[in-house]
Structures are given as structure tokens and as C-alpha cells.
Amino acid sequence: MKPVPATVLAAAWLGTLAGAYYFGKSAAPSADAGSGGSGGPGSAAAFPSALPGGKPLPGGQEGGAGGAAAGSRRKMSVREMVALGRAEMQKSMGMMNPSAILRALAPFADLTDEEVQEAIAEIERTVEQPQAKMMFYSLLVGRWAESDGAAAMAFVEEELADGGPMMGGVKYGVVSSWAQNDPDGAWQWYLKAKQEEDQGMFGGPSFALSGIFASYAQRDLDGAFKKLEGLDENERMMAAGGFAQGAYDPEFRERLLGKAAEMEDENLRRTLYQGISSQWAMMDPEGAADWAVGLPDADRAQVAQSVGSSLMMSSKPEKGADLMVSAAQTEQEKAQAYSSAVAQWVHRDANAAGAWLGKQPQGPELDQARSTFASSIAGRDPESAMAWAKTITDGGQRQGAVSQVYQQWYRADAAAAETALGASGLAPDQIEQIRKSAPPTPTEGVPTDAPVRAE
């Protein structure tokens, strides 16, 4: 199974940011909400007149000033938008909280090109965290690129050239926005850039292909596939991510699947299948799984993990586990599939995962899954965990699993752990080796003259 290139994953992550922006744009408060003004481009978004935690907005401007009723809403200045966005982004950086990121970015949706420039200058002056700065720039310059992609790209290449490798993400946002209205212009930029630029953190100019081909595919699917013929393998893989972005639409998805099935390039076909199924499974995991089951073995192996994992998180974990295992073509792949399924399931419903594991053909391909299951439940049910560890057929894996369970059990009940270890069926020298690895009891290693705390 050929892994998806890291550049494709980077593009997919950045695409998620772009999606957050467009969702935020549609969800942003109307500019004239509670203000009597008219919305539309050039209007600042309306927003509560205080930062999170009740702190007033900068500049000494208080909400409700001039006799307005408490709780009224007013238009925000660009400076205030940046201050609010910076505060929300600060809260989200550790956890990548989507709702906080949306709150941070949504107010910027309807800025004019001039206001975009003002916001960029304010961010450059006040935002220090590189990741937050990249998100702001991806949104703002991408917003500019909707109306003038060439100018927005020139700004990035000239003014943000020293922004470090993360500025590749800003370029991705520019190209994606540019391609929405002018894919030919974005394509011409790419053809020139790939002759002049080196590969970087985001794969060099090829990062742009996902956004460009997403737009081409929506406009002319046959023509977009025709354009693939002139690209090298890495470029085609990047472009495949753009095709998959429209897979949420059932009609487009059916057309796309039909085109993918006709492709002679196996790697590209499977990459398309994987991208399509990943998008599909986020909304309809059972539908994606039913489709995946009907694929030829070689193609099904490429998509089973992503679709199966989506099912594991839904109400059909057993169906997801079965799909992951059914797609495995070698004993090693089957062992990995069993272990992956159990690892995802055991923390949600250990009893159901154990029951499913017990129903499988009890061969050595289950050893890795048995070890995973035993170590996962050892802290809650060490007796059952030890029973599972003892069923492992490979001697080395069995000793390792018994040792893991024993050490966790020993901390809670040393006597019970010792009894179970003695009945584990391991050889005496193995038992002794495990015993030596036991954590110290509360009294071990304490000097004889150390004071004893009264009970």
C-alpha cells in the first residue's frame, strides 16, 4: 500500500483552513445587525463590543456609548477585529479549536481590499505567534485574491518573502481563492512558478494544484482529467486532492468515481478513491463503506483504513472493523488491521471490542491485537487482561504482554499480580526476568532508619 505523500497531507490540512474560512464567511454576523447600516463589501462586521472575559475593546471604545441600550451591537473597526481575532486565536492554538478559529476569522469576511491591507499591517504589528499569523494571512490575502489573484500573489511573493516556510500556507490560500474565479490565471502562475521555485515545506508550487484542480473539476470534469496527462506523478497526486474536494456532492461524486474507475494509472486511481472516500465517510460512513466493499481487492486496501476508521467513530464500529480486516491481503497487513481496529475500539467499548476479537479466527495474526487489547484494559481489569495476554501464541509477544499487565497490576495489588504471574505459563527464567522489572513497592528502597509516618 503506497502512503499518501506528506505534501498531499499538508495541502489537505491547509484546505481545512480554507473550508473554515468559507464556512465562517457564510456564518459571519451581518454587517448591519443592530446598527441600522447596510451590509456588503466594505462594511465592518457587527460583533459584541467586548473581548472574551468582559475586557473592553482597545482604543477606549465602549459598546453602548452615546446612550445606546445595554447589549446593543455596533460595527467594529479593523483594529478591533484583529484584537478580537487575536484573543480567540490565542485560546485555540493549543487545541486547534475549530469554533474559536471561526470566531477569530469570521469578522474579516467582508473587508474591502483597502481594509485587508490595513488588517495585514495590524496583524504584522500585533500578532507574534507564527501559526496564528499564518492563519490570518491565509484568510486575508486569500480574501483579496477573490477579486485580484495576481495582485494578491505579488503581495505575498514580494512583501512576505521573509515570512519563513509557513508562508507556503499563505500561498496555498491565495491560489485556492484565485482559482475559484480565475483557474486559468492561477494555472499560468503555477506553470511559471514551477520553473523558478524549489520544493519547500509545502511541496513547492505543486501545493497549488489542489486548489486549481478543485475549481477545474467543478467547471469541466472531463477537461480537468485531460489536464492531468501533462503532469508528473507527484503533481498528479497533488491534483487528485483537488478533485476529491467536491466529493461531498452525491451527483459530482458519482461522476468522479466513474472517471476514476477508467484510469489506467493504478496509483492515481487509488489516491482518488482514498480522497473521495475520506470526504464521503465524514458525512455518510455507511454509504462509503458499502461502496468500498465492492471494490477490487487491490483498490479496497487503499481506502479501507480511512473509511473503516470513520465507521469506528460512528454507531457501526463492528462494520468498520470488519472492513479494515477484509481489505488486508497479507498476514502482516491482517495483523496490523486487527490491532488498529482494536486500538480504536477498546477505549470506547472494551466489552464489544473483546467480544468481536473473540469471534475472529483464533490464529497468530491476532497476537498483536491481543497484546493491544490486554495492555489497554490492564488498568481497569487486570485479571481479564492477563487472561488475554496468555492467549498470545508468539513467545516473545506473550512475554511482553504479560510483563505489561503484571507491572500495571503490581502497582495496585502486588500479591495478586505475583500469583497471576506464577500461573501465566511462562518459563521460570521469563518469570524471573519480568519480576525484576516490577516497580518498587512503597517500602522497597526505604532506609531502615527512616522515620515511619504514624497511621
Side-chain angles (χ1 to χ4, degrees):
M1 185 182 300
K2 187 172 182 178
V4 178
T7 50
V8 175
L9 297 178
W13 178 75
L14 288 166
T16 300
L17 294 183
Y21 158 55
Y22 288 111
F23 178 81
K25 183 176 179 179
S26 64
S30 171
D32 62 350
S35 65
S38 59
S43 299
F47 227 78
S49 56
L51 294 172
K55 297 179 181 179
L57 289 164
Q61 300 179 15
E62 297 290 335
S72 65
R73 300 165 73 87
R74 62 174 178 79
K75 296 179 181 179
M76 298 171 67
S77 69
V78 168
R79 182 184 179 191
E80 291 168 347
M81 290 183 196
V82 173
L84 177 64
R86 190 173 68 248
E88 290 288 355
M89 199 75 75
Q90 183 65 36
K91 294 191 299 184
S92 74
M93 281 297 100
M95 302 174 290
M96 291 299 292
N97 182 343
S99 62
I101 292 174
L102 283 176
R103 286 194 299 271
L105 301 183
F108 295 90
D110 292 319
L111 298 183
T112 64
D113 288 353
E114 291 76 14
E115 289 170 328
V116 164
Q117 303 289 342
E118 182 184 349
I120 288 172
E122 182 69 10
I123 286 164
E124 180 64 28
R125 186 179 69 83
T126 61
V127 180
E128 297 181 358
Q129 214 279 343
Q131 190 177 20
K133 191 171 273 190
M134 187 200 74
M135 289 187 184
F136 279 122
Y137 281 152
S138 295
L139 166 72
L140 290 167
V141 188
R143 167 69 183 83
W144 183 10
E146 292 177 16
S147 58
D148 192 342
M153 181 61 76
F155 174 84
V156 171
E157 293 178 331
E158 294 171 10
E159 301 297 330
L160 305 182
D162 297 329
M166 294 190 80
M167 287 304 106
V170 180
K171 280 191 174 182
Y172 179 89
V174 169
V175 173
S176 295
S177 298
W178 187 358
Q180 278 193 318
N181 297 319
D182 181 18
D184 291 331
W187 173 249
Q188 291 303 315
W189 170 85
Y190 169 73
L191 293 177
K192 181 182 178 182
K194 78 172 185 175
Q195 302 297 328
E196 301 174 351
E197 297 186 26
D198 296 328
Q199 297 292 308
M201 176 179 176
F202 291 97
S206 62
F207 69 81
L209 290 171
S210 178
I212 293 171
F213 275 83
S215 182
Y216 272 138
Q218 292 291 330
R219 292 165 179 252
D220 178 7
L221 187 59
D222 291 337
F225 269 93
K226 188 70 175 175
K227 270 192 180 299
L228 287 176
E229 296 175 3
L231 303 179
D232 63 29
E233 182 178 6
N234 180 64
E235 288 174 317
R236 297 175 87 186
M237 294 299 174
M238 294 295 290
F243 284 98
Q245 288 182 29
Y248 62 87
D249 177 75
E251 182 179 348
F252 179 80
R253 183 172 63 236
E254 286 302 312
R255 293 175 56 216
L256 186 56
L257 288 173
K259 295 292 294 184
E262 298 172 358
M263 302 203 71
E264 297 181 359
D265 185 328
E266 293 182 353
N267 287 333
L268 182 58
R269 182 180 68 247
R270 292 167 188 168
T271 299
L272 281 168
Y273 279 161
Q274 188 173 18
I276 295 166
S277 62
S278 296
Q279 291 276 351
W280 189 357
M282 287 191 291
M283 300 168 292
D284 178 17
E286 288 196 69
D290 290 341
W291 164 78
V293 167
L295 291 173
D297 289 347
D299 290 339
R300 187 171 71 252
Q302 190 78 7
V303 304
Q305 289 297 316
S306 59
V307 176
S309 294
S310 293
L311 272 170
M312 298 289 294
M313 294 185 287
S314 73
S315 59
K316 302 286 185 180
E318 185 170 352
K319 187 172 184 177
D322 288 340
L323 175 62
M324 294 166 72
V325 172
S326 71
Q329 299 179 50
T330 67
E331 291 302 311
Q332 181 179 2
E333 288 178 357
K334 187 169 286 188
Q336 291 173 345
Y338 275 124
S339 181
S340 178
V342 167
Q344 294 179 66
W345 197 353
V346 65
H347 297 292
R348 292 185 58 206
D349 190 340
N351 288 333
W356 175 82
L357 191 58
K359 292 189 298 184
Q360 306 308 305
Q362 299 298 302
E365 67 273 11
L366 291 184
D367 279 352
Q368 189 175 340
R370 291 169 176 139
S371 178
T372 298
F373 187 80
S375 62
S376 297
I377 67 170
R380 293 171 285 170
D381 187 354
E383 186 174 354
S384 295
M386 185 64 79
W388 275 100
K390 289 163 61 175
T391 66
I392 296 173
T393 61
D394 179 81
Q397 287 193 61
R398 181 170 63 251
Q399 180 179 352
V402 168
S403 178
Q404 286 188 15
V405 175
Y406 168 78
Q407 291 189 50
Q408 292 192 61
W409 199 348
Y410 192 90
R411 293 186 181 93
D413 189 340
E418 281 292 339
T419 301
L421 180 62
S424 64
L426 297 179
D429 61 322
Q430 292 176 309
I431 290 177
E432 184 59 27
Q433 185 178 357
I434 291 173
R435 185 173 286 121
K436 289 179 180 179
S437 68
T441 61
T443 56
E444 287 180 359
V446 178
T448 55
D449 59 346
V452 178
R453 180 175 295 179
E455 295 292 331

